[in-house]
Amino acid sequence: TGILLINLGTPDAPTAAAVKPYLREFLGDPRVVEIPRALWWLILNGIILNTRPKKSAEKYAQIWTKEGSPLLVHTQRQTRMLRGYLGESLGKSCPVVEFAMRYGNPSVASALEKLKQQNCGRILILPLYPQYAASSTATAMDAVFDALRKMRNMPEIRTVRSFHDHPGYIAALAQSVRDDWMQNGRPDKLVMSFHGVPRYTLDKGDPYHCECQKTGRLLAEALELKQDQYRISFQSRFGRAEWLKP
């Protein structure tokens, strides 16, 4: 049995040359940018990929560590820690744990092949997004199924859709907040900030907004916060379209 953790992805280096193909793959995903493909192709290849890589590379350089991209480093550590935890708990029956990036390296296809080479006939797919969104969880699944389409002898697959209200996840969030309060003092209000997505995704039926709201409510209950002691918000926006608020 194998477990495949999937995270978003990162360029291989904080340089314009490395960022450009990463952005091409990321922003070229129709799950991420949902506008007519012909129009977006012209915008992406004619404007964005000629201007944004250099600016993005400068921002990546500010957070890059000696070990590499923070997202890659933390995902590698998380994978190693899960291997160790399962190894201690299950011994010889421990599943094989690998990780992949939806965009960039290591690719989903290469990670699945790595698991197959270790004789994994049953694989659990776990996108590392607590709340489901088409632009995150669904596109990670797309990459898995695209890789499976090219296999003659497919492994058995199970998938985790989301874990926004799982007791273990909520408990971990609550403990991280308590740890911060112990170190820095308890503030008047807790702001819970989730990644933003365009408003039209909610109108089309994407449950992301609702699952973020439930995570926030459950976290507030775990911390015994009154309604005026916390606030749920959304950060990030791209383009001129309306995004989730506040």
Side-chain angles (χ1 to χ4, degrees), residues 41-216:
W41 189 94
L42 291 173
I43 297 172
L44 178 62
N45 291 276
I47 302 174
I48 293 177
L49 292 180
N50 291 319
T51 58
R52 195 172 179 89
K54 182 179 178 181
K55 295 178 182 178
S56 294
E58 292 172 353
K59 294 180 179 180
Y60 273 112
Q62 294 175 14
I63 62 169
W64 214 262
T65 71
K66 292 180 180 179
E67 298 171 279
S69 164
L71 188 67
L72 178 62
V73 170
H74 289 308
T75 305
Q76 289 171 328
R77 289 176 179 170
Q78 196 168 16
T79 302
R80 287 196 300 267
M81 291 177 72
L82 182 57
R83 283 176 187 151
Y85 175 80
L86 293 175
E88 291 179 1
S89 303
L90 303 175
K92 292 183 179 180
S93 60
C94 173
V96 179
V97 184
E98 298 290 348
F99 78 94
M101 295 296 184
R102 174 59 183 90
Y103 312 104
N105 296 306
S107 69
V108 171
S110 69
L112 284 171
E113 187 59 36
K114 193 173 181 180
L115 287 168
K116 284 194 67 180
Q117 290 174 1
Q118 297 176 78
N119 300 315
C120 293
R122 302 169 68 240
I123 300 174
L124 174 68
I125 307 298
L126 176 56
L128 296 176
Y129 309 105
Q131 297 81 22
Y132 175 96
S135 57
S136 56
T137 310
T139 189
M141 299 298 188
D142 288 344
V144 170
F145 298 134
D146 284 345
L148 292 175
R149 278 194 312 123
K150 300 172 185 176
M151 295 181 186
R152 177 171 294 277
N153 187 8
M154 292 184 183
E156 181 181 348
I157 296 291
R158 290 184 64 188
T159 61
V160 174
R161 180 183 178 279
S162 68
F163 49 96
H164 65 286
D165 57 356
H166 191 283
Y169 171 60
I170 300 300
L173 289 180
Q175 189 58 51
S176 70
V177 174
R178 292 191 194 100
D179 290 345
D180 183 79
W181 286 352
M182 285 290 292
Q183 183 175 355
N184 300 301
R186 181 165 176 159
D188 296 326
K189 182 165 291 194
L190 176 65
V191 178
M192 309 175 193
S193 183
F194 296 86
H195 197 287
V197 293
R199 164 67 201 224
Y200 66 75
T201 62
L202 173 61
D203 299 332
K204 288 183 176 182
D206 199 309
Y208 178 75
H209 177 267
C210 302
E211 293 189 358
C212 289
Q213 295 288 340
K214 187 173 184 181
T215 297

Side-chain angles (χ1 to χ4, degrees), residues 31-45:
R31 292 271 200 186
V32 174
V33 181
E34 299 183 54
I35 68 175
R37 304 317 298 163
L39 174 60
W40 180 240
W41 189 94
L42 291 173
I43 297 172
L44 178 62
N45 291 276

